[in-house]
Amino acid sequence: MSWPRFAGLTFILALLTLALPPQAAQQTDRVTGLARNGDWQLVQANCTECHSALLITQNSGNRGVWQSRIAWMQETQGMAQLDPDVEESILGYLEENYGPRQSARRAPLPAHLLPENPWSQP
Ligand code: HEC
């Protein structure tokens, strides 16, 4: 490659690097995909031993939902009891970063948009 071409390419690459938002790489952890806020490392330490954090980041729910998931894992999947302070922090993190999502499920279609039910009784 000729020197002017090389210099030109280097310049363009430098511009592209500068154009990227500086914190983009830091908002989610590169390895687990967890949002890097607050107590994310407690979640990494306590919740990625048996399954990937993807199971967490793909789910959502309010505090009660997260609490019941943890209780379910403790009752049926051999998960150890958490220190109460640790559990509080984890629940706070989960509800804040993976709370109920509007987009998680679409609203049901109104009845007039549904096809006629061929099995409905006359
Ligand atoms: C002792 C092992 C273990 C630990 C530790 C553990 N889990 Fe799980 N978890 C499981 C198993 C097993 C499943 C079921 C996996 C499957 O269905 O493939 C599961 C499933 C889940 C699910 C999916 C539940 C659903 O409704 O489909 C979520 C969300 C989850 N875990 C979150 C967490 C969080 C948050 C933590 C930390 C507080 C955690 N897990 C720690 C074993 C564990």
Side-chain angles (χ1 to χ4, degrees):
M1 190 185 290
S2 68
W3 165 245
R5 255 185 126 175
F6 176 75
L9 267 182
T10 311
F11 180 69
I12 289 170
L13 279 179
L15 274 185
L16 283 177
T17 314
L18 288 175
L20 287 174
Q23 64 319 27
Q26 265 146 43
Q27 283 166 355
T28 54
D29 176 46
R30 196 171 53 83
V31 176
T32 59
L34 288 168
R36 288 171 60 113
N37 293 329
D39 290 314
W40 75 275
Q41 282 169 312
L42 271 184
V43 175
Q44 180 189 33
N46 290 281
C47 306
T48 60
E49 177 190 344
C50 306
H51 52 68
S52 132
L54 214 79
L55 215 49
I56 299 166
T57 57
Q58 286 176 339
N59 273 286
S60 56
N62 61 26
R63 193 183 186 87
V65 166
W66 283 111
Q67 200 157 27
S68 73
R69 285 186 181 128
I70 293 178
W72 172 80
M73 285 179 284
Q74 289 169 332
E75 283 156 26
T76 64
Q77 309 298 324
M79 181 178 176
Q81 294 297 314
L82 293 166
D83 178 270
D85 289 345
V86 170
E87 183 162 342
E88 274 301 299
S89 304
I90 288 178
L91 285 173
Y93 170 86
L94 292 172
E95 105 181 299
E96 190 184 328
N97 295 284
Y98 303 100
R101 263 186 288 156
Q102 285 283 308
S103 61
R105 181 173 288 187
R106 68 163 173 76
L109 290 174
H112 74 275
L113 291 180
L114 293 173
E116 202 175 305
N117 181 352
W119 291 281
S120 69
Q121 301 293 313

